[in-house]
Amino acid sequence: MNIKNTRVKHIIAASLCIFSATSSANIVKVDQVLGQLNPIEQRIEQTIERAQRLPLPVPVPQVSIDELKAQISEPISSLPNVLNININSQNTAFVEVELENSFRAIERQWLLMANSQQLNTLQQQNVTIVSVKNYNALNMSLVRFNVPQGVNSKSELLKALNLDESAILDRNHIYQAQTGEPTAKVTPNNSIAPYCTQSVKIGMIDSAINTKHSAFEGTNITTQSFLPQGLSSPNLHGTAIAGLITGKGAKLSPLLGSAKLYSAEVFYRQSEYAQGATLFAIVEALNWLVSNKIPVINMSLTGPNNAVLEASITAAIKQNVLIVAAAGNQGPASQPLYPGAYKSVIAVSAIDATNQIYRWSNKGGYIDFAALGVNVVTSQGNGKFGRESGTSMAAPHVSAALSCLLLKHGNNKTKALNELTSLAVDLGEQGKDTTFGYGAIYPPKNAL
């Protein structure tokens, strides 16, 4: 760039002339002004040359204040590739490792739904059998075993165990809770009416519940832990889910007016922000809930597709059970997450009070319904009330509605699901879509 051209000089000169005329009323000739430009030209050229030698700045992405707030509010939940889950300073319950696609599993541990012949074959192999359990309510037997170092794929293991592809074999995967961070401000939330006031049974597979919370005074909650002996479950996530279903107080009204809640504790603490549940614990929880004849089970958790998980859920559904799951909080570009992505499971995405989709809510053809799950008031593990967000918070709406509809229709699942679909408020594209499913489910003005 060079300012030594006639056009630029005359522009600057004209500017100086105007300045002179307005400031002193003396008309200055252009030639006289041009003579004054040389020192100015030199300084400008030197500045430009220095600037051109500097490296170009890296473009800074334009992020809105709302986006920054949302990013800051998301918990830092990254975990190390290898994580020891300790009972105490001397004893480790198990070791979890990161696999492909950022999913996690117990190190070298696999599960096999085995018949007697397969169990005999397994016992003759170079594996360490951890447990063999029969689950009568699910009509299945499950073998948990550890494999030698270096056996990393299902195909390798099937070949080593002399099993064909029909064998229901998979890793002992880890599944995660699906919730965001609470906000500080809490306001009364008395506008929500219960889906019904009759006594209904409902189950949840989650973390522990702080049953001493004032929200649960006078409620009917039965809990059972499925964690290894000595390992305790945190009560953050479970308290929030239970609070939505049956919690009561000045700042909280329940989705079910009179629920008998059965809570299966499967989550353990991975970090300050993250909670994990082994597939083995989830299977045990399913068996317990089915054995107690729970008609609707809420699973506000997600993880990878798994042959044993699918078989267990199929077995539960055959016992006339409905399973509702969070769609996931990995965002609209996420791969499908399970169990919500199974066709037999009812997957729920989250919306806010203005019917806008939660920015981290998963999308896909497996989404069945949407429900309020953004900045909702509920009980917290610390004994207080607060606001939570996530598809975890949306799923209990659908679980509560189905519990009431099953009671209304004499436990007829088809009639209950048909009426739920008719109650859904269509949002987004007309008909079932990948964001809202059949539509949003809201608490009724009059109980179902």
Side-chain angles (χ1 to χ4, degrees), residues 84-93 230-231:
N84 288 352
I85 304 301
N86 298 319
I87 295 174
N88 51 46
S89 57
Q90 285 81 35
N91 297 292
T92 297
L231 196 63

Side-chain angles (χ1 to χ4, degrees), residues 92-251:
T92 297
F94 47 81
V95 178
E96 63 174 65
V97 295
E98 185 171 332
L99 307 172
E100 63 281 353
N101 299 319
S102 298
F103 292 130
R104 303 177 73 83
I106 303 301
E107 185 179 36
R108 296 188 291 114
Q109 190 165 103
W110 292 74
L111 302 175
L112 173 66
M113 283 183 60
N115 56 37
S116 57
Q117 182 180 351
Q118 290 171 328
L119 178 58
N120 289 334
T121 301
L122 190 64
Q123 289 171 333
Q124 298 170 17
Q125 305 302 316
N126 183 27
V127 300
T128 302
I129 295 179
V130 179
S131 65
V132 180
K133 297 196 71 171
N134 294 321
Y135 297 105
N136 294 330
L138 299 177
N139 295 315
M140 58 181 270
S141 297
L142 195 64
V143 182
R144 180 170 44 140
F145 62 97
N146 295 335
V147 299
Q149 194 76 34
V151 179
N152 294 315
S153 73
K154 184 175 180 178
S155 59
E156 289 175 350
L157 192 53
L158 286 170
K159 184 177 180 180
L161 299 178
N162 195 27
L163 297 171
D164 59 36
E165 292 290 338
S166 65
I168 301 175
L169 169 75
D170 220 320
R171 293 183 185 272
N172 191 3
H173 277 119
I174 307 296
Y175 292 78
Q176 308 291 147
Q178 295 298 298
T179 189
E181 285 285 276
T183 59
K185 187 177 180 181
V186 178
T187 55
N189 186 33
N190 295 322
S191 59
I192 293 180
Y195 283 92
C196 64
T197 56
Q198 300 98 317
S199 177
V200 295
K201 292 172 72 173
I202 186 171
M204 56 182 270
I205 299 178
D206 217 285
S207 78
I209 301 171
N210 177 6
T211 54
K212 296 181 179 179
H213 196 295
S214 61
F216 303 120
E217 185 177 351
T219 58
N220 189 338
I221 301 177
T222 301
T223 64
Q224 179 70 44
S225 174
F226 295 96
L227 295 177
Q229 187 173 1
L231 196 63
S232 61
S233 178
N235 62 17
L236 303 176
H237 196 261
T239 301
I241 299 301
L244 291 175
I245 294 171
T246 192
K248 301 173 184 177
K251 299 181 174 108

